[in-house]
Amino acid sequence: MTLALVTGASSGLGAEFADQLAARGHDVVLVARSEGRLEEVADRLRVRHGVQAHVLPQDLAEPDAARRVADALAARGLAVDLLVNNAGFGTCGRFEDIDPSREHDEMMVNVVALVDLTHALVPGMLERGSGAVLNVGSTAGYQPGPYFAVYSATKVFVLNFSLALRQEYRGRGIKVTALCPGPVETGFFDAIGTRKAAVGSFTTSEPVVRAALRALDRDRAYVTPGLGNALGAHLNPRRPRTLVAAMAKRVTRKVLEPETGRERVAA
Ligand SMILES: NC(=O)c1ccc[n+]([C@@H]2O[C@H](COP(=O)([O-])OP(=O)(O)OC[C@H]3O[C@@H](n4cnc5c(N)ncnc54)[C@H](OP(=O)(O)O)[C@@H]3O)[C@@H](O)[C@H]2O)c1
C-alpha cells in the first residue's frame, strides 16, 4: 500500500484523483483549505475503498505552506510515494482590472507551492528509491494567454518544470508526468467567474484523471486528454510565438464581452 498526497482534493479534479487513487489501493493525504469538504471526501474514500485517508487543511497561498504540510506529515509518520500537485485556480480579464493580490495568490498556489512541495517530498522518494510526481498544468500552458496572462504563464511554468524534472529523475526511480487538460466540469469556472473563460469543449473529471494516471503508469512526459486539445498542444509550439499569442487573443478576448446571463457562474 503506497501513500499519495493530493492537493486541491476538496473538489473537482483533486477529489477525483483521490477517488481513483484510493480505488487503486493507495492511502491518501488530502490537502486544501476547506476542511469540511476534505473530511467528506476522506469519509467517502474510507467507506468506498477501505483505505486510510488523512486530512491536512492548508492554504497553499501561504509562503510557508509546504513546510507546514511537510511538518504535519512528519508528525504523523507519513512518507509520500506519489505527489499530485493539482491545487490551482485562474483569473481572467484585462490585466489592469484584475486584483493584484488575487494574482499573487494564484502564483503562490499554482507555482510556488507546487515547487516547494516537490522540494519537500522528492528527497524522501530518492532515499526510498522510488516515487512519482504528477503536476496539473493546462492547455492554457501551450501558448501565451491574453486576458489570462498570469494563469497561462503559471501553467507554462508547470509544464516546463515537469519536463525538466522528468529528465533529471530518469533512471533514478522517480516518474514525473504533467496533465494538461482543456475545460473540465469542476468548480474552476465558478472561481474564475465566467464560463467564457473556457476554450474548447467541456468534459468531466473522470476520464481526465483516468488519462493522467494511465500516462503516469506508462511514464509519459505529459498528457492532453481530448483530440481537439491534443491537436492544439501539438501545433502551437510549432508556430511563431507572436503569431500564437495573436491567434490566442482572438479566442480569449471573448471574456471581455458583456455577459448574456448564461455564462456568468459567480458574482
Ligand atoms: N477545470 C478545468 O477546466 C481545468 C482545466 C485545465 C486545468 N485545470 C487545473 O486543474 C486543477 C484543479 O482545478 P479544478 O478544475 O478541479 O477546480 P476546482 O474544482 O475549483 O478545484 C480547485 C482545488 O484547488 C484548491 N485550492 C484553491 N486555492 C487553494 C489554496 N489557496 N490553498 C489550497 N488549495 C487551494 C481548492 O480547494 P479549497 O477551495 O478547499 O482550498 C480545490 O480543491 C487546477 O490546477 C486548475 O488550474 C482545470
Side-chain angles (χ1 to χ4, degrees), residues 46-93:
R46 291 181 196 116
V47 171
R48 203 184 276 176
H49 305 296
V51 298
Q52 286 191 29
H54 309 267
V55 166
L56 247 176
Q58 177 62 49
D59 183 347
L60 293 172
E62 290 177 2
D64 59 348
R67 186 190 54 75
R68 285 166 182 267
V69 169
D71 287 352
L73 292 171
R76 297 183 195 193
L78 298 173
V80 172
D81 306 287
L82 166 59
L83 168 61
V84 182
N85 277 312
N86 160 79
F89 66 91
T91 45
C92 72

Side-chain angles (χ1 to χ4, degrees), residues 8 10-11 13 33-34 59-60 86 137 151 155 181-184 186-187 189:
S10 59
S11 69
L13 289 168
R33 290 167 301 181
S34 316
D59 183 347
L60 293 172
N86 160 79
Y151 179 67
K155 296 303 184 180
V184 189
T186 65
F189 292 96

Side-chain angles (χ1 to χ4, degrees), residues 33-238:
R33 290 167 301 181
S34 316
E35 186 169 3
R37 278 195 279 153
L38 289 178
E39 291 290 1
E40 283 171 25
V41 174
D43 284 343
R44 198 165 62 233
L45 300 184
R46 291 181 196 116
V47 171
R48 203 184 276 176
H49 305 296
V51 298
Q52 286 191 29
H54 309 267
V55 166
L56 247 176
Q58 177 62 49
D59 183 347
L60 293 172
E62 290 177 2
D64 59 348
R67 186 190 54 75
R68 285 166 182 267
V69 169
D71 287 352
L73 292 171
R76 297 183 195 193
L78 298 173
V80 172
D81 306 287
L82 166 59
L83 168 61
V84 182
N85 277 312
N86 160 79
F89 66 91
T91 45
C92 72
R94 286 191 178 87
F95 181 71
E96 71 272 19
D97 293 338
I98 300 174
D99 176 2
S101 68
R102 179 103 176 122
E103 293 210 316
H104 181 269
D105 284 356
E106 183 180 358
M107 292 186 284
M108 293 301 286
V109 176
N110 296 11
V111 172
V112 176
L114 178 145
V115 174
D116 286 352
L117 276 172
T118 308
H119 267 306
L121 299 182
V122 159
M125 296 179 193
L126 281 173
E127 259 175 45
R128 293 187 297 278
S130 71
V133 180
L134 204 166
N135 291 328
V136 179
S138 167
T139 49
Y142 288 126
Q143 64 283 306
Y147 311 117
F148 297 86
V150 169
Y151 179 67
S152 65
T154 67
K155 296 303 184 180
V156 172
F157 181 99
V158 171
L159 178 58
N160 283 350
F161 173 67
S162 307
L163 292 173
L165 277 199
R166 179 166 185 273
Q167 290 300 326
E168 291 194 32
Y169 291 117
R170 286 192 100 169
R172 297 171 69 194
I174 299 181
K175 293 185 202 172
V176 182
T177 296
L179 164 67
C180 303
V184 189
E185 293 285 2
T186 65
F188 181 83
F189 292 96
D190 300 322
I192 248 186
T194 176
R195 289 174 73 89
K196 282 184 184 167
V199 178
S201 48
F202 276 87
T203 183
T204 57
S205 296
E206 194 276 332
V208 171
V209 167
R210 197 162 299 287
L213 295 181
R214 200 182 318 121
L216 187 65
D217 290 341
R218 295 176 182 175
D219 198 12
R220 292 271 159 79
Y222 62 102
V223 59
T224 309
L227 190 60
N229 298 327
L231 203 61
H234 178 73
L235 291 177
N236 284 351
R238 287 163 178 76

